[in-house]
Amino acid sequence: MMLAIPDVLDAAGVARVRALIDAADWVDGNVTSGHQSALAKRNHQLPQGSAAAQEAGAIILDALGRSPLFVSAALPLKVFPPLFNRYTGGEAFDTHVDNAVRILAGSDFRVRSDLSATLFLAEPDSYDGGELVVEDHYGVQAVKLPAGHLLLYPASSLHRVQPVARGVRVASFFWVQSMVRDNDARRILYDLDHSVQALAGERGQADPAIIRLTGVYHNLLRRWADC
Ligand SMILES: O=C(O)CCC(=O)C(=O)O
Ligand SMILES: [Fe+2]
């Protein structure tokens, strides 16, 4: 499932993150690449574990936890500490697939990448190009979102970032291991949750049918979740 989640960070949150990361030292993006994607990647990143990345990453993790849409769509079990990238002067990231398992250097923390995420941190009109192009079963989609918005997409999909011809594209990116590994099952739960919440808005949470449907949601989650 591919989903744009608006306003994960508000304008003040984007400004706080940008102030932290803009002042830090950036390095060649290939520090975190697998063998195949190293050939495809031309960008810059904050070093993983740098003070700026950790501080800005904590702001993002906190915001994700407060986003009902993110929680409902991703059903997160583990989130890889957010990384930060920047593309300018024609830099791009050609078609690649993300590594299935990400291991945090110097620790035993590992995340199976069920979902990939990009949190846009620059306004779309401040740069040309830089679309995130994702290929899934339903075709190819090119996405460029306002600062503070997040794109969640299956980590199994082929994707690329178009060359940035003007300005600077700044983003945070990370991977999510979901409690529900199967994309289709996760999609069913998301649709059900969404529909039940909409109905509950009309009928109230105490409506007997809403209570039973909420039970159905949790019983499916109990069936499918690995925690
Ligand atoms: O910059 C992005 O939006 C995506 C980055 C990416 O695909 C990656 O680092 O694997
Ligand atoms: Fe990627």
Side-chain angles (χ1 to χ4, degrees):
M1 173 169 79
M2 188 156 136
L3 185 71
I5 303 180
D7 300 318
V8 168
L9 288 181
D10 60 13
V14 171
R16 275 174 71 207
V17 166
R18 284 296 302 265
L20 284 165
I21 65 176
D22 288 356
D25 291 326
W26 294 72
V27 297
D28 188 305
N30 280 317
V31 284
T32 58
S33 300
H35 177 66
Q36 178 245 335
S37 61
L39 301 171
K41 191 196 266 193
R42 279 167 289 124
N43 69 4
H44 286 78
Q45 284 181 202
L46 282 192
Q48 211 169 355
S50 67
Q54 282 185 359
E55 239 182 289
I59 294 172
I60 292 169
L61 289 176
D62 181 57
L64 292 174
R66 286 185 286 103
S67 165
L69 207 49
F70 173 77
V71 173
S72 169
L75 295 169
L77 177 63
K78 299 188 221 174
V79 179
F80 198 80
L83 297 165
F84 297 85
N85 65 17
R86 186 160 93 169
Y87 304 74
T88 190
E91 287 174 334
F93 198 162
D94 297 335
T95 303
H96 67 280
V97 66
D98 291 342
N99 284 0
V101 178
R102 309 292 314 202
I103 300 168
L104 187 62
S107 80
D108 57 6
F109 185 73
R110 58 178 68 205
V111 170
R112 185 188 64 231
S113 58
D114 297 322
L115 290 157
S116 298
T118 291
L119 177 67
F120 290 79
L121 292 171
E123 291 301 346
D125 60 5
S126 68
Y127 60 98
D128 290 337
E131 293 83 1
L132 178 54
V133 180
V134 181
E135 297 177 25
D136 67 10
H137 302 309
Y138 304 105
V140 180
Q141 304 208 48
V143 182
K144 188 167 170 176
L145 298 176
H149 294 210
L150 180 85
L151 186 74
L152 203 54
Y153 58 101
S156 54
S157 54
L158 290 173
H159 56 278
R160 65 178 183 272
V161 176
Q162 297 284 67
V164 173
R166 175 190 63 90
V168 187
R169 177 195 194 269
V170 183
S172 173
F173 63 102
F174 51 88
W175 298 275
V176 180
Q177 179 171 338
S178 177
M179 289 188 285
V180 176
R181 177 183 198 152
D182 184 73
N183 265 306
D184 293 336
R186 203 183 316 112
R187 168 95 224 188
I188 290 168
L189 287 168
Y190 173 74
D191 285 340
L192 180 59
D193 187 25
H194 218 68
S195 308
V196 173
Q197 293 310 323
L199 278 176
E202 291 170 19
R203 296 171 163 230
Q205 294 282 359
D207 183 283
I210 301 292
I211 293 171
R212 272 202 302 279
L213 277 174
T214 305
V216 170
Y217 175 84
H218 283 286
N219 288 334
L220 283 174
L221 183 57
R222 211 182 321 276
R223 195 165 255 268
W224 290 335
D226 294 308
C227 306

